[in-house]
Every structure is written in C-alpha cells, then in structure tokens.
C-alpha cells in the first residue's frame, strides 16, 4: 500500500491513534494545517519490513548546515520552524517577523507544556546526521533540503529543548522518548519517514522499532 492509499484510511486504532499532517505531496515539504488519522499498526509493520537492511554508514563529509539547509522560508517572513510552532501550538500569536510571542506547546516526548517558545526545540524525528549514515549521503542537495524541512511527513515535532539535546542523532535502539505511552507514535513516525525516503535500517534499529510497535 502506498502512502497516498494509506493515509486515506479513516480508522481509529485501539490504543494507538497517531495524528498526522496532511499527506499532500509527501516528502516535498510545505505547511499543512489539516490532520489525518494514523496508519494502522499492521501497515507500519509492513513498511518496517520493507525498509532495506544495511550496516550504518559513517559521518565522513557530513555538515549539518551545508548538507541539510533547514528552516527555509515558507511564506512571507515565516520559515519552516515558525510554521511548525504555529501549526502544533495552541493560541499562538506571532510578531511582524513571524516569531511566536505567546502560546503554548505540548512536548509529546515527555508530556510537558511550555508557554515560552525558547523552551521548545523543533526535533527532526529521524535526525539529519542519522539520515546521512542511512542513505542521505548519496542524495542530491534538493532532496536533503526537502527532508530537513518536511512538514508533510511526521518528521518535525516541537519538543522540550533538553530532550532534543539528549536525543541528538540517536536511533531508537539508543534513545526513546521518556513518555512510554508515546513509543507507538514515535515508532510509527520513524518508520513512515524512513519509508517515504527509502532510508536503510539496521537490525538493532528494526528490533527496537518492532518492540515499540508492540505497545500500540
């Protein structure tokens, strides 16, 4: 089942309802305000099984800012980060530069709510350095830029800044959100993003994701 077909499924999953952004042109970036239902866990497992298994590469040649230009302008003065904070926050107000000046943001990784934008980081669910060693090294620059700014796949999340720093570039076998009830969503997000971009996976990573999906 392709991404477009999967997101057309309207279903409520028992114990695992994962909100998604609009599926318009998955992998191409762009703001999306609507929400679509989760893909079924069976579909997540199917996609997990379709990911190519390979030994993780090395970071030779990696440069976060140069290889993955991120927070590109979406519209007017608003960049991707600001669009994400507006989309996923509550009662968000921005100034003339599109920077949030008020609102609240719930970090799904730990369930904490923050009312100051500086307390929130925008996390790449599949970290940029991890993508580099999982296949993105061979991408062209345009694809890497799309990946780093993708608002259509479940790739960007507003999270507590300390947790984002703690996670760093770690894969699921190395780091999981402290909120165990979120593991199902996190694993589904990770699988969807990797599948959309045909990134590789290691055996320990696949085992960790499968275990997290058991909690759905």
């Amino acid at each position: 089942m392709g991404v477009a077909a999967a997101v057309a499924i309207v279903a409520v999953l028992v114990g695992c309802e994962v909100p998604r952004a609009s599926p318009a042109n998955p992998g191409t970036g762009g703001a999306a305000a609507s929400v679509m239902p989760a893909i079924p866990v069976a579909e997540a497992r199917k996609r997990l099984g379709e990911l190519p298994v390979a030994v993780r590469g090395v970071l030779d040649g990696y440069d976060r800012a140069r290889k993955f230009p991120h927070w590109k302008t979406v519209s007017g003065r608003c960049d991707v980060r600001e669009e994400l904070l507006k989309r996923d926050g509550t009662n968000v107000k921005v100034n003339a530069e599109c920077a949030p000046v008020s609102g609240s943001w719930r970090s799904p990784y730990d369930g904490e709510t923050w009312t100051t934008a500086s307390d929130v980081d925008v996390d790449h669910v599949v970290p940029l350095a991890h993508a580099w060693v999982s296949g993105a090294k061979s991408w062209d620059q345009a694809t890497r830029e799309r990946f780093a700014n993708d608002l259509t796949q479940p790739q960007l999340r507003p999270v507590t800044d300390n947790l984002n720093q703690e996670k760093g570039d770690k894969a699921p076998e190395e780091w999981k959100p402290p909120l165990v009830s979120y593991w199902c969503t996190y694993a589904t997000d990770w699988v969807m993003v990797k599948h959309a971009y045909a990134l590789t996976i290691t055996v320990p990573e696949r085992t960790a994701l499968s275990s997290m999906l058991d909690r759905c």
Side-chain angles (χ1 to χ4, degrees):
M1 183 185 294
V3 173
V7 298
I9 298 173
V10 179
V12 176
L13 305 177
V14 177
C16 184
E17 184 174 355
V18 187
R20 296 283 178 259
S22 167
N25 300 319
T28 61
S34 61
V35 173
M36 62 184 177
I39 64 169
V41 178
E43 177 64 19
R45 288 192 181 280
K46 176 177 179 292
R47 295 186 193 188
L48 177 60
E50 292 170 349
L51 293 176
V53 177
V55 175
R56 199 164 288 154
V58 295
L59 281 172
D60 289 359
Y62 173 73
D63 183 305
R64 178 182 172 87
R66 207 161 50 83
K67 297 298 185 179
F68 290 89
H70 48 288
W71 309 159
K72 69 177 183 179
T73 299
V74 176
S75 62
R77 295 184 176 182
C78 299
D79 63 24
V80 167
R81 183 182 189 280
E82 291 160 342
E83 284 294 326
L84 187 281
L85 291 177
K86 288 194 297 180
R87 186 192 76 183
D88 290 3
T90 301
N91 299 323
V92 177
K93 294 183 180 180
V94 301
N95 61 20
E97 302 299 320
C98 202
V101 294
S102 64
S104 64
W105 295 268
R106 182 181 182 276
S107 167
Y109 291 176
D110 57 1
E112 296 291 334
T113 297
W114 303 96
T115 56
T116 302
S118 60
D119 289 328
V120 177
D121 280 357
V122 173
D123 178 49
H124 289 90
V125 172
V126 176
L128 303 182
H130 178 88
W132 179 264
V133 299
S134 302
K137 182 177 182 178
S138 65
W139 294 349
D140 60 29
Q141 187 76 346
T143 302
R144 289 197 292 263
E145 184 172 352
R146 285 197 300 272
F147 182 83
N149 294 279
D150 197 338
L151 283 165
T152 59
Q153 290 294 325
Q155 166 67 338
L156 299 174
R157 292 283 183 256
V159 303
T160 302
D161 54 4
N162 292 347
L163 285 182
N164 190 39
Q165 294 158 24
E166 176 188 291
K167 173 187 173 183
D169 303 323
K170 298 180 180 72
E173 75 274 20
E174 304 166 309
W175 186 91
K176 298 176 179 63
L179 193 62
V180 176
S181 61
Y182 191 70
W183 285 8
C184 171
T185 304
Y186 188 76
T188 304
D189 288 352
W190 187 282
V191 169
M192 287 185 71
V193 172
K194 279 216 159 181
H195 192 275
Y197 285 90
L199 290 168
T200 63
I201 196 169
T202 66
V203 172
E205 181 184 351
R206 184 177 61 187
T207 299
L209 289 165
S210 180
S211 178
M212 292 168 81
L213 290 174
D214 287 342
R215 293 183 174 272
C216 294

